């Protein structure tokens, strides 16, 4: 069984520099992207609870995890909570990378809707009547 290197008390009480060093070294040693994303999510929550110094903590690590590592259920689950770590161009690319089927389905649905929109249907009937 995997022993977790951080307790919830540590994640919500240790100083920013200490957590940055420990989480970064944990990821470099273990390579466990899923647990690292969960720890980063806890720090994201800590920021939202009012600890402003945690804004964009470990930004390079977050960008690496979401853009370079294999897409897992954990990465998909917490993906939208890390939007502010990326530029809009990077976000569009990552959205396609993390949810490729969703993007394909949305494009297909929009194409079908545009072909069968109300104005197209009435325009085609008016042309046939004349």
């Amino acid at each position: 069984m995997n022993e977790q290197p951080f307790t919830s008390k540590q994640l919500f009480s240790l100083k920013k520099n200490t957590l940055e060093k420990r989480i970064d070294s944990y990821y470099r040693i273990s390579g466990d992207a899923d647990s690292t994303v969960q720890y980063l999510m806890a720090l994201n929550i800590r920021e939202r609870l009012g600890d402003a110094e945690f804004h964009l903590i470990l930004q390079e690590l977050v960008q690496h995890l979401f853009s370079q590592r294999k897409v897992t259920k954990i990465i998909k689950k917490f993906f939208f909570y890390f939007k502010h770590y990326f530029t809009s161009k990077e976000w569009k690319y990552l959205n396609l990378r993390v949810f490729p089927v969703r993007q394909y389905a949305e494009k297909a649905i929009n194409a079908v809707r545009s072909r069968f929109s109300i104005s197209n249907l009435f325009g085609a009937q008016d042309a046939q009547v004349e």
Side-chain angles (χ1 to χ4, degrees), residues 6 19-29 31-33 35-40 43 56-69 75 82 85-86:
F6 303 103
L19 283 169
E20 283 179 326
K21 289 175 188 174
R22 288 187 185 180
I23 290 173
D24 190 50
S25 66
Y26 168 76
Y27 173 70
R28 302 224 181 273
I29 292 169
D32 186 0
S35 293
T36 305
V37 168
Q38 290 176 335
Y39 296 137
L40 291 166
L43 298 182
L56 298 179
I57 189 169
L58 293 168
Q59 185 171 7
E60 290 178 10
L61 180 59
V62 169
Q63 291 176 339
H64 168 76
L65 291 171
F66 285 96
S67 63
Q68 304 295 320
R69 295 299 303 227
I75 287 179
F82 292 95
Y85 280 80
F86 303 97

